[in-house]
Structure formats: structure tokens, C-alpha cells
Amino acid sequence: MLTSVVAPAGPLPVAGTPLSPLPLDQPRVGSGPARAAVKLALGVILLNIVVQATTYALARSGYVEQSTAISIGLWVGFAFYGLVFLVTIRGGAAAGVEPLWTVGDSRTSLRRGLAVGGGVSLVILGLQSLAVHHLAGDAAVNAIVSEGSLVRILAALALFVVIGPVIEELVFRAVVAESLRSRGTGAAVLASSFLFALAHLRPASLVYYTLIGAVLGRLYFRYGLKSSISAHAAFNGCLVAAAIISVLGPAKTYTVDGATLQLPAHWKTVTAPPGAPVQLALSGPSGSGLVVIDRPVPPGAVFSPDAVVAAAQQHLIPIPPGASIDSVQTVDYRAGRAVLVAMTEGGRAGRLVTMVVHDRAWIFVLATAGSPRASSEFDHMMQTLRLP
């Protein structure tokens, strides 16, 4: 049972190198080391706030596309964990903590961690997917993997399955939880779990991450650091696997007012803004978006490239405010002839396609967010369009 923590008498069986050279039979920690460990965790959280705020400001500035900002954030993540590792090793030694690598049999420790972490992750993925009626996962992981490139997939595996679990378990279990052991394992698990949740900077999910941290904390005290790391890695590994399956899965057909459109699996329906005349809204790779609008054509209206440009300038079709029109041309799709408008808004490329069939205007607006994949997939989507 995860709720029963067994602490054998005498020297504990430890496999691996401890963070400090203190002997195992020495008293573990006092209030000083505990304060040092908590300060270390708070320092990591503060550093993460600075990194995330800087990355967010860069993405919102308009100087780089969102896809580029995601790539920059990914590599900044590697640098962040490298710095945290160095700080943790030094802080752990200063706090005088000696984490447990393994309690009991090493293979049992590994198996329990993998089973608990993978099992919990699969249950959560299943519940989320049932709620939204499609395979769901972690938004950050999905954004990184969404381009489908081998480099991004390998980077996500390295960051979320290897580096992240090791560094986070060193900070919050090996240093923080261990430094608080003398105050009781329950208090140590609760405090380390709460700091673990704060470090993820998702206030709406604070309880969720606290509970996940509590499971990892119990594994640490029952089976050792090897078990909590393997559980963390298995948990994140399932999230990455779900994101990869979502990107590489089969295409899905959407129906809008009798029209059908085929999209790759990683395009997901989202809720349109209140009051927006949108029949279908979807999110795609790297934060790209697509909306579909179907509206009647006013009597006497003329459908032509010039007429579409004029309608855009009069805000009769949904071109974002401040967007500039780069080019206008007619294109032929299987569903018929259309007018394609290439535009730029805030440094970000976009496209608008308008078709008129049987006195109804069909409007498709793509915001690429700088995603090459979204741009290439949009052309294929339009070729699959079938109108009533």
C-alpha cells in the first residue's frame, strides 16, 4: 500500500551516490536544513516564473511567430533544467540531506514506480478524452509535438520523460521531502507536493498537481527516489505518447451545415467566442486556428476577387482588425472556384478563402501562428471540402 511507509531500522539499503557524504545513521535534518531546502524550491519556482514570463512576452510581442516561440521555449526549458540541476546539487549538499535511492529490492522499486505512474496517467487521459470526445492530453506537450517533426518529438521525449522527471524529483523529493522527514512523512509529503504544484505555474490545476506530487512523495518514502523518478517518467511518457498518437493518427471528417471537411487528427474543435457568427472553430499545430463561417449571400451581390477585398475592407468578412492584405487570387478546389486572400496580422501570416455556392457564402479563415504544418495542411483540407 502506498499509504504505509516502512522505515527499516539501522542503515537503509541505498543504491547509488547520495547528494551529500553524510552517513545514513546520522540524524537526518533539523529546522535549518529544512528551511534551506524550502528556500531552494522557492528559488526554483521564482526562476521558472521569470523564464515563463519572458517566453510568454516574446510570444505575445508579435516579433516572432507562435511556432517559433514554442521552439525557443523548448530549448530554454533544457537550459532551465540544467541550471536547476546545478543549483539543486549545491543546495542539497548545503542542506545536508541524504536522499534514499532505493528502499528494499531495486527491481520492485522500479516496477512499482512504472506501474503507478503509467496507471495514473492512463486513467487521467481516459477521463479527459471521454469528457471532450477525442484523445486529450497535456496542452504544453501537445503544442511541442503538434508540428510532427522528428526533432520536436525527440526533444519532447528527452525533456518530459528523462530530464524533467529526474530534476523535479531531485528538487521536490530528494531535497525538500527528505529535509522534512524528521517532521513526519505526512507533513513532508504535503509540503513537497504543494511546492511541486506551485512550480508548475498553473493556478487552476493546483489541486491536481498537489495530488500527483503526493503520490510521488509516497512512492519516494516507500520505495526510494528510483521509484518516484520512474513513476514521474511513466506519467509524462504516457502524455507524450498521447500527443504523438494525436499528431500521427487518422484524419477526421467534420460536417458543417451539410458541408464536409477532412482534417488531420491533431486539429481539435474549440469553443468560438460568444456572439461570433462561426459554425466551426478548430485549433491546430503550434497554436494555429481555423474557423468556418456559412452565411447567405445578399441579393444582387457579386462574387469576385475585387468584391471579396472590398468586403474585407468594410469588415463584412472576418479579417482580424489591423490585418493587411498581401495578395488576392482565384483558386480552383474540388468544391468549386474560390477567392484566396493572403494576409498578415501582427507579423503572423493568415489566409482567407471565400466560396459562393447556391446563394450561400462559405468562408474559411486560417491563422497559421507561424506553423509550416498548418499552412501546408490548409491546402489539403480545402481539397477535401464537399459542399451541399
Side-chain angles (χ1 to χ4, degrees):
M1 294 291 291
L2 293 177
T3 54
S4 63
V5 179
V6 179
L12 297 174
V14 178
T17 304
L19 290 180
S20 71
L22 298 178
L24 288 177
D25 56 356
Q26 182 172 328
R28 288 202 168 269
V29 292
S31 60
R35 283 197 298 268
V38 172
K39 287 181 180 179
L40 170 66
L42 293 175
V44 170
I45 294 171
L46 180 60
L47 177 61
N48 194 25
I49 291 174
V50 173
V51 170
Q52 295 296 331
T54 303
T55 305
Y56 178 79
L58 180 65
R60 299 291 295 179
S61 67
Y63 292 109
V64 297
E65 299 277 13
Q66 188 165 341
S67 176
T68 304
I70 291 173
S71 297
I72 293 173
L74 177 62
W75 302 117
V76 168
F78 282 103
F80 167 78
Y81 277 124
L83 180 59
V84 170
F85 175 75
L86 296 176
V87 172
T88 301
I89 294 301
R90 181 177 179 180
V97 296
E98 187 179 351
L100 304 176
W101 176 244
T102 300
V103 178
D105 180 68
S106 177
R107 289 174 295 181
T108 299
S109 173
L110 178 63
R111 287 196 297 266
R112 291 294 174 89
L114 292 174
V116 171
V120 171
S121 186
L122 290 175
V123 169
I124 293 174
L125 282 171
L127 293 175
Q128 288 178 334
S129 301
L130 285 174
V132 297
H133 306 294
H134 60 71
L135 182 60
D138 184 84
V141 180
N142 291 345
I144 292 173
V145 176
S146 62
E147 289 296 326
S149 70
L150 181 61
V151 172
R152 278 211 186 178
I153 290 175
L154 292 177
L157 288 169
L159 190 66
F160 292 107
V161 183
V162 180
I163 298 173
V166 170
I167 303 302
E168 291 178 17
E169 292 309 301
L170 283 175
V171 174
F172 297 103
R173 255 58 68 180
V175 176
V176 176
E178 186 60 46
S179 72
L180 295 168
R181 176 189 287 269
S182 63
R183 305 187 181 190
T185 56
V189 168
L190 179 61
S192 61
S193 301
F194 181 69
L195 290 171
F196 173 76
L198 288 179
H200 284 79
L201 305 182
R202 298 184 184 182
S205 302
L206 189 64
V207 174
Y208 166 79
Y209 282 108
T210 300
L211 292 175
I212 296 298
V215 173
L216 295 171
R218 285 297 184 183
L219 283 172
Y220 169 72
F221 282 115
R222 179 64 181 89
Y223 298 104
L225 189 61
K226 184 176 183 179
S227 185
S228 66
I229 289 176
S230 61
H232 201 150
F235 185 94
N236 287 2
C238 290
L239 298 181
V240 176
I244 295 172
I245 292 172
S246 179
V247 169
L248 303 179
K252 183 177 180 180
T253 300
Y254 292 85
T255 301
V256 184
D257 293 344
T260 60
L261 186 68
Q262 193 175 74
L263 292 92
H266 53 271
W267 287 84
K268 309 296 184 184
T269 55
V270 294
T271 303
V278 174
Q279 275 65 51
L280 178 66
L282 305 110
S283 64
S286 298
S288 56
L290 174 68
V291 297
V292 180
I293 300 170
D294 168 29
R295 60 177 58 172
V297 177
V302 178
F303 177 64
S304 68
D306 292 339
V308 171
V309 172
Q313 293 172 341
Q314 298 173 30
H315 303 289
L316 298 179
I317 55 179
I319 286 184
S324 60
I325 297 175
D326 301 324
S327 65
V328 181
Q329 59 181 314
T330 57
V331 293
D332 290 316
Y333 296 117
R334 293 181 180 178
R337 176 157 291 189
V339 175
L340 170 62
V341 178
M343 56 187 176
T344 302
E345 185 268 326
R348 296 176 172 86
R351 300 184 191 179
L352 182 145
V353 171
T354 303
M355 305 178 69
V356 173
V357 177
H358 304 310
D359 297 327
R360 298 200 68 82
W362 294 86
I363 303 170
F364 305 84
V365 184
L366 170 72
T368 66
S371 168
R373 183 164 187 164
S375 297
S376 63
E377 289 177 344
F378 181 71
D379 295 329
H380 176 73
M381 294 178 202
M382 295 306 301
Q383 293 293 352
T384 68
L385 176 65
R386 297 292 184 273
L387 297 177

